[in-house]
Amino acid sequence: VMICSYTFYQQAHKRLNVIDWEVVIFDEAHTIKNPKSARAEAANQLRCRRRFGLTGTLMQNNMMEMYCTLDWAAPGALGPASEFKKYYQTPIGMGQKINADPSQLSLAKQRAQELNKLLRSHVLARDKDMIKDQIPGKDDYIVICPMTDEQRVVYDRVLASDDYALLRK
């Protein structure tokens, strides 16, 4: 058993990778979301039978980050990155656009359902109902902050943009 930080692992991964590990568990696994990062490259070189990644945010910014994290934990489960992008990411992204036509919306919904089904076989997620008694109550504070002149200019530019005009129709 070894417990170490990502920084230590990155520095010592060549020595650690001579060991055939039975199980490897990465906490905050979403930090290996960039396949070109030194951290992800080192993590992908691990020799082990089983990999588990713990994260509260499997998908942070985009689907390819989610793909990279899950591909580390379950190599090949989502297929090659290029196929994942073509089959899932592109159609789902097209369906999220404001000007998506009915066929794009339908395909996006179908692919999202397929992806969710696939993810359920590899991702164990807890929902709020499972832990509601363990979470402290939430306090909301409303603070009104007027825009600066620069923020007002940017805001007005967004409102005048073609993309925003589609929302008003």
PDB file of all heavy atoms in Angstrom, residues 8 13 39 52 69 74 82 85 92 95 102 169:
ATOM      1  N   PHE A   8       4.327  14.010  -5.583  1.00  0.00           N
ATOM      2  CA  PHE A   8       5.323  12.970  -5.321  1.00  0.00           C
ATOM      3  C   PHE A   8       5.258  11.895  -6.398  1.00  0.00           C
ATOM      4  O   PHE A   8       6.277  11.453  -6.906  1.00  0.00           O
ATOM      5  CB  PHE A   8       5.110  12.337  -3.941  1.00  0.00           C
ATOM      6  CG  PHE A   8       6.028  11.174  -3.695  1.00  0.00           C
ATOM      7  CD1 PHE A   8       7.351  11.386  -3.322  1.00  0.00           C
ATOM      8  CD2 PHE A   8       5.590   9.867  -3.890  1.00  0.00           C
ATOM      9  CE1 PHE A   8       8.212  10.315  -3.127  1.00  0.00           C
ATOM     10  CE2 PHE A   8       6.443   8.796  -3.693  1.00  0.00           C
ATOM     11  CZ  PHE A   8       7.758   9.028  -3.304  1.00  0.00           C
ATOM     12  N   HIS A  13       7.325   8.559 -10.452  1.00  0.00           N
ATOM     13  CA  HIS A  13       6.533   7.562 -11.179  1.00  0.00           C
ATOM     14  C   HIS A  13       7.383   6.512 -11.885  1.00  0.00           C
ATOM     15  O   HIS A  13       6.967   5.360 -11.994  1.00  0.00           O
ATOM     16  CB  HIS A  13       5.551   8.236 -12.152  1.00  0.00           C
ATOM     17  CG  HIS A  13       6.146   8.743 -13.410  1.00  0.00           C
ATOM     18  ND1 HIS A  13       6.702   9.990 -13.504  1.00  0.00           N
ATOM     19  CD2 HIS A  13       6.253   8.170 -14.634  1.00  0.00           C
ATOM     20  CE1 HIS A  13       7.134  10.178 -14.731  1.00  0.00           C
ATOM     21  NE2 HIS A  13       6.886   9.099 -15.433  1.00  0.00           N
ATOM     22  N   ARG A  39       0.950  15.047 -15.306  1.00  0.00           N
ATOM     23  CA  ARG A  39       0.230  14.232 -14.332  1.00  0.00           C
ATOM     24  C   ARG A  39      -0.524  13.095 -15.020  1.00  0.00           C
ATOM     25  O   ARG A  39      -0.467  11.947 -14.608  1.00  0.00           O
ATOM     26  CB  ARG A  39      -0.735  15.104 -13.537  1.00  0.00           C
ATOM     27  CG  ARG A  39      -1.538  14.340 -12.512  1.00  0.00           C
ATOM     28  CD  ARG A  39      -2.352  15.259 -11.658  1.00  0.00           C
ATOM     29  NE  ARG A  39      -1.440  16.005 -10.804  1.00  0.00           N
ATOM     30  CZ  ARG A  39      -1.807  17.001 -10.021  1.00  0.00           C
ATOM     31  NH1 ARG A  39      -3.043  17.381  -9.973  1.00  0.00           N
ATOM     32  NH2 ARG A  39      -0.938  17.629  -9.267  1.00  0.00           N
ATOM     33  N   PHE A  52      -9.291   3.079  -9.678  1.00  0.00           N
ATOM     34  CA  PHE A  52     -10.475   3.788  -9.207  1.00  0.00           C
ATOM     35  C   PHE A  52     -10.129   5.260  -9.094  1.00  0.00           C
ATOM     36  O   PHE A  52      -9.056   5.615  -8.604  1.00  0.00           O
ATOM     37  CB  PHE A  52     -10.932   3.271  -7.829  1.00  0.00           C
ATOM     38  CG  PHE A  52     -11.416   1.858  -7.851  1.00  0.00           C
ATOM     39  CD1 PHE A  52     -10.555   0.805  -7.556  1.00  0.00           C
ATOM     40  CD2 PHE A  52     -12.734   1.572  -8.178  1.00  0.00           C
ATOM     41  CE1 PHE A  52     -11.008  -0.504  -7.578  1.00  0.00           C
ATOM     42  CE2 PHE A  52     -13.188   0.265  -8.203  1.00  0.00           C
ATOM     43  CZ  PHE A  52     -12.328  -0.775  -7.906  1.00  0.00           C
ATOM     44  N   THR A  69     -10.558  11.431 -17.954  1.00  0.00           N
ATOM     45  CA  THR A  69     -10.580  10.912 -16.585  1.00  0.00           C
ATOM     46  C   THR A  69     -11.112   9.484 -16.558  1.00  0.00           C
ATOM     47  O   THR A  69     -10.530   8.599 -15.934  1.00  0.00           O
ATOM     48  CB  THR A  69     -11.433  11.814 -15.673  1.00  0.00           C
ATOM     49  OG1 THR A  69     -10.926  13.150 -15.737  1.00  0.00           O
ATOM     50  CG2 THR A  69     -11.407  11.340 -14.239  1.00  0.00           C
ATOM     51  N   ALA A  74     -10.961   3.399 -16.567  1.00  0.00           N
ATOM     52  CA  ALA A  74     -11.450   2.217 -17.287  1.00  0.00           C
ATOM     53  C   ALA A  74     -10.969   2.315 -18.740  1.00  0.00           C
ATOM     54  O   ALA A  74     -11.741   2.670 -19.632  1.00  0.00           O
ATOM     55  CB  ALA A  74     -12.967   2.146 -17.220  1.00  0.00           C
ATOM     56  N   SER A  82     -11.052   9.866 -30.573  1.00  0.00           N
ATOM     57  CA  SER A  82     -11.606  10.418 -31.816  1.00  0.00           C
ATOM     58  C   SER A  82     -13.021   9.905 -32.069  1.00  0.00           C
ATOM     59  O   SER A  82     -13.898  10.663 -32.514  1.00  0.00           O
ATOM     60  CB  SER A  82     -10.705  10.078 -32.999  1.00  0.00           C
ATOM     61  OG  SER A  82     -10.588   8.665 -33.138  1.00  0.00           O
ATOM     62  N   LYS A  85     -15.455  11.556 -29.517  1.00  0.00           N
ATOM     63  CA  LYS A  85     -15.767  12.928 -29.926  1.00  0.00           C
ATOM     64  C   LYS A  85     -16.778  12.945 -31.073  1.00  0.00           C
ATOM     65  O   LYS A  85     -17.752  13.697 -31.040  1.00  0.00           O
ATOM     66  CB  LYS A  85     -14.477  13.648 -30.338  1.00  0.00           C
ATOM     67  CG  LYS A  85     -14.670  15.092 -30.652  1.00  0.00           C
ATOM     68  CD  LYS A  85     -13.336  15.776 -30.910  1.00  0.00           C
ATOM     69  CE  LYS A  85     -13.562  17.255 -31.124  1.00  0.00           C
ATOM     70  NZ  LYS A  85     -12.316  17.979 -31.274  1.00  0.00           N
ATOM     71  N   ILE A  92     -23.994  15.848 -29.310  1.00  0.00           N
ATOM     72  CA  ILE A  92     -24.556  16.435 -28.091  1.00  0.00           C
ATOM     73  C   ILE A  92     -24.312  17.942 -28.085  1.00  0.00           C
ATOM     74  O   ILE A  92     -25.198  18.722 -27.754  1.00  0.00           O
ATOM     75  CB  ILE A  92     -23.986  15.753 -26.825  1.00  0.00           C
ATOM     76  CG1 ILE A  92     -24.500  14.307 -26.746  1.00  0.00           C
ATOM     77  CG2 ILE A  92     -24.351  16.530 -25.567  1.00  0.00           C
ATOM     78  CD1 ILE A  92     -23.848  13.459 -25.666  1.00  0.00           C
ATOM     79  N   GLY A  95     -26.692  19.699 -30.447  1.00  0.00           N
ATOM     80  CA  GLY A  95     -28.037  19.768 -29.886  1.00  0.00           C
ATOM     81  C   GLY A  95     -28.187  20.822 -28.809  1.00  0.00           C
ATOM     82  O   GLY A  95     -29.303  21.215 -28.467  1.00  0.00           O
ATOM     83  N   PRO A 102     -34.690  20.304 -35.144  1.00  0.00           N
ATOM     84  CA  PRO A 102     -35.287  19.157 -34.448  1.00  0.00           C
ATOM     85  C   PRO A 102     -34.503  17.849 -34.599  1.00  0.00           C
ATOM     86  O   PRO A 102     -34.414  17.075 -33.645  1.00  0.00           O
ATOM     87  CB  PRO A 102     -36.675  19.042 -35.085  1.00  0.00           C
ATOM     88  CG  PRO A 102     -36.999  20.424 -35.534  1.00  0.00           C
ATOM     89  CD  PRO A 102     -35.687  21.015 -35.966  1.00  0.00           C
ATOM     90  N   LYS A 169     -36.036  35.527 -29.749  1.00  0.00           N
ATOM     91  CA  LYS A 169     -37.093  35.166 -30.730  1.00  0.00           C
ATOM     92  C   LYS A 169     -38.022  34.150 -30.166  1.00  0.00           C
ATOM     93  O   LYS A 169     -37.810  33.384 -29.346  1.00  0.00           O
ATOM     94  CB  LYS A 169     -36.458  34.639 -32.006  1.00  0.00           C
ATOM     95  CG  LYS A 169     -35.767  35.741 -32.782  1.00  0.00           C
ATOM     96  CD  LYS A 169     -35.213  35.193 -34.064  1.00  0.00           C
ATOM     97  CE  LYS A 169     -34.549  36.309 -34.851  1.00  0.00           C
ATOM     98  NZ  LYS A 169     -34.022  35.869 -36.098  1.00  0.00           N
TER      99      LYS A 169
END
